[in-house]
Every structure is written in C-alpha cells, then in structure tokens.
Amino acid sequence: MPTRTTPRITSLHLFCAVLVAALAARPLIIAALDVAVLRTAATVFVAVCVQALPFLVLGVLLSGAIAAFVTPAVLRGLLPARPSVAVPAAGLAGLVLPGCECASVPVARRLIGQGVPDAAALAFLLAAPAVNPVVLVATAVAFPGEPAMVGARLLGSLATACAMGWLWQRVGRHEWIIERARRPAAMPSGTGRWAVLVETARHDLVAAGGFLVLGGLAAAALSVLVPAEWLAGLSGQWLLAVPVMAALAVVLALCSEADAFVAASLSMLPLVPRLVFLVVGPAVDVKLIALQAGTFGRAFALRFAPATLAVAVLCAIAAGLFLLGPR
C-alpha cells in the first residue's frame, strides 16, 4: 500500500503567500505608507534593488555554471606548481571564474582537498567574488561618473587576495585548517550537470537575494534615519569614515554583485571610504566568518578573518589614494 506523503511548506510557499496578501492589501498599504519620509525610503530601496537585481541573477547563473562544469581538478591543473606563483595566478583566476562569497568557500575547500596549496586556494577564495567581470560591470554601472572606481576596486581586492595568500604561505600552519577540510570532497552521484547548475543558482539566488533586500533596507534607513549633518561630518573625517564603512561592510554582509549600488547611494561620503566598503565586504563579513569556521575550523576563522579585515582596509586605502586621490 503506497505511503501518503505530507505536503511540506517551503520558503517558496511562504513567499507566494506573502506576495498574494500584499497584492490583496495594496490599497491599505499605499494609504499607510503615504508619508514623505516613507516615500523617500521606498524610492531608495526600490532603486537599489532594481539596479542590482540583474547583476545578482547573472552572477548566480555564472556561479552555478562553474559549479556544474568547472571541477576543482581542472583548476588545480591550471595553477603553477610553486605556491608563491600560484597565489597571484589563483587571484587572477577570479577575473574569469566568478562566484559569490558563499560559493567561494566550498570551492576553496574542494581545491585544498584536491591538493592545491592552502595559500593559492585562499587567494582564490578572496578574489573570485571580488574581481570577477559581473562585479566590475556592476561597479561601473553604479558609479557612472567615476570610472576609476572600477580600477580601484579591482586593484584593492586583487591586492588583498594576493597579500593574504602570501601571508598565509609564510605564517600559516597546517593544523589551523581542520583535517576534514583536507579530504577530497565527495561529489553528488546521479546528478546531471544542468541540475547542479539550476540547484546551485537557486540556492545562491535565495541566499544572496535576502542580503540584497537587507542592503536595500539599510540604504533606505540611512537615507531617512541618519541626520544629513552626521554623514556630512563623516565626509571630512577620514579616520572615522573608514572604520565606519569597514564595520558596515562586515555587518551588512551584502552580495558582491549588489554592494556597489548600496555604496553609490551613500553619495555624501568620500569615494575612498566607500571603496573600503566595497573591498572589505567580499573579503570578510559575518556570514563568511561563519562559513569559514564551519568549513575550515574555528582556529582558522579566528586568525584569518581579523587578518583579512586589516589587509583589506589597508589595500583599499592604498588603491584609493593611488587611483582616486584624497576624496
């Protein structure tokens, strides 16, 4: 006698239910939100999300394609044998092999399991979500009047990835990465490549979409809740603006395909602190720290995350002063 399965309510069902309820209550919602401050916040929120969404979708599709068609064994074969040379090569691989922050952690874990030097795998982990073409094009669209911002982000992020790779090669210890992460990762059996692409893209889109909404809400809240004179005061306070933007990047944990639009919305701040926000975000944030701790171990995360934060801030400032000037 066949067993009867109980229907399972998923997040997609809840989303559809909320969407239907919102459409039904549309007149009431419009009447309740017909306030000048809320209209301003809604405009900022919609602008950030609508501008970033196409790049987010493109990014997760490319990430899914890499997970399905580019194996860690192929990447290992493309990297030089010497670790000191493999580090910049792995960083440059991020230019052609994009992936979101969440996807870069398991890819780096697979690389280590395939025998790639730790330093090269960690350089790829930092570079892939930060210097890929989708992120750079999104940055150019977000900052149409500042083309140097694209070069500054590329330089700062690539320098961060290479510096952390070389630093790990010099002072990193084998035991700081748990032994489980060094075993070859088992690939799912009986799953077609297109199914892997779809499932990876769906997972990344759901995860990254939530953080995009969070970033849009943060930008909207900053536009109406933070007094303009506070942000104007930061424009002349570099020593304060830089750590504030670095901390904001760590806490918001935005997707790298969308963070440029949030940074562009903070137009009252100088370019260099906003560049710090763009370089720090894909390198270290709260979700990445949790992912790294779960994948490589707590001892790794407690050392790697603070060092990455310091290196990313310094590299962003250096790249900003070199390409953007003191602004």
Side-chain angles (χ1 to χ4, degrees):
M1 184 175 180
T3 58
R4 181 176 299 177
T5 59
T6 304
R8 187 168 64 92
I9 298 177
T10 66
S11 58
L12 182 60
H13 294 109
L14 292 176
F15 174 76
C16 292
V18 171
L19 185 60
V20 171
L23 290 174
R26 182 172 175 270
L28 297 177
I29 294 174
I30 293 176
L33 297 181
D34 192 17
V35 181
V37 172
L38 292 179
R39 285 200 302 270
T40 301
T43 300
V44 173
F45 172 77
V46 172
V48 169
C49 291
V50 169
Q51 286 180 310
L53 189 59
F55 298 98
L56 183 62
V57 172
L58 178 60
V60 299
L61 288 176
L62 289 176
S63 177
I66 290 170
F69 299 104
V70 182
T71 65
V74 172
L75 294 178
R76 183 186 59 182
L78 295 176
L79 292 176
R82 290 179 56 189
S84 58
V85 182
V87 166
L92 290 173
L95 287 169
V96 294
L97 295 174
C100 73
E101 296 92 326
C102 300
S104 67
V105 174
V107 170
R109 179 253 186 271
R110 293 192 194 105
L111 290 174
I112 292 176
Q114 290 277 353
V116 171
D118 297 351
L122 296 177
F124 181 81
L125 182 152
L126 295 174
V131 301
N132 66 71
V134 178
V135 170
L136 297 181
V137 171
T139 305
V141 173
F143 292 89
E146 296 291 346
M149 197 70 168
V150 179
R153 181 172 195 178
L154 171 62
L155 179 61
S157 297
L158 193 58
T160 299
C162 292
M164 283 305 300
W166 285 322
L167 182 64
W168 188 268
Q169 180 188 352
R170 187 168 185 82
V171 303
R173 296 183 181 178
H174 186 276
E175 60 269 20
W176 287 348
I177 296 179
I178 56 178
E179 196 60 35
R180 183 179 72 247
R182 299 188 179 279
R183 300 171 191 156
M187 298 301 292
S189 58
T191 303
R193 294 185 182 273
W194 289 105
V196 172
L197 187 156
V198 171
E199 178 60 24
T200 302
R202 185 198 64 79
H203 176 273
D204 290 349
L205 181 61
V206 171
F211 289 108
L212 171 59
V213 172
L214 177 62
L217 290 173
L222 288 173
S223 68
V224 297
L225 297 180
V226 178
E229 55 270 19
W230 288 13
L231 294 176
L234 284 178
S235 64
Q237 299 291 332
W238 260 53
L239 293 179
L240 182 59
V242 166
V244 165
M245 294 303 290
L248 199 62
V250 173
V251 173
L252 290 183
L254 299 178
C255 177
S256 58
E257 284 92 357
D259 58 2
F261 297 95
V262 176
S265 69
L266 303 175
S267 57
M268 67 293 295
L269 294 178
L271 287 178
V272 173
R274 286 189 279 169
L275 177 64
V276 170
F277 177 85
L278 297 179
V279 173
V280 168
V284 53
D285 59 39
V286 289
K287 74 175 185 299
L288 277 176
I289 295 172
L291 284 170
Q292 291 168 6
T295 303
F296 301 113
R298 192 176 303 173
F300 170 86
L302 290 176
R303 292 167 173 84
F304 190 75
T308 303
L309 176 60
V311 169
V313 170
L314 292 176
C315 289
I317 292 174
L321 291 176
F322 178 66
L323 293 177
L324 301 174
R327 59 195 178 104

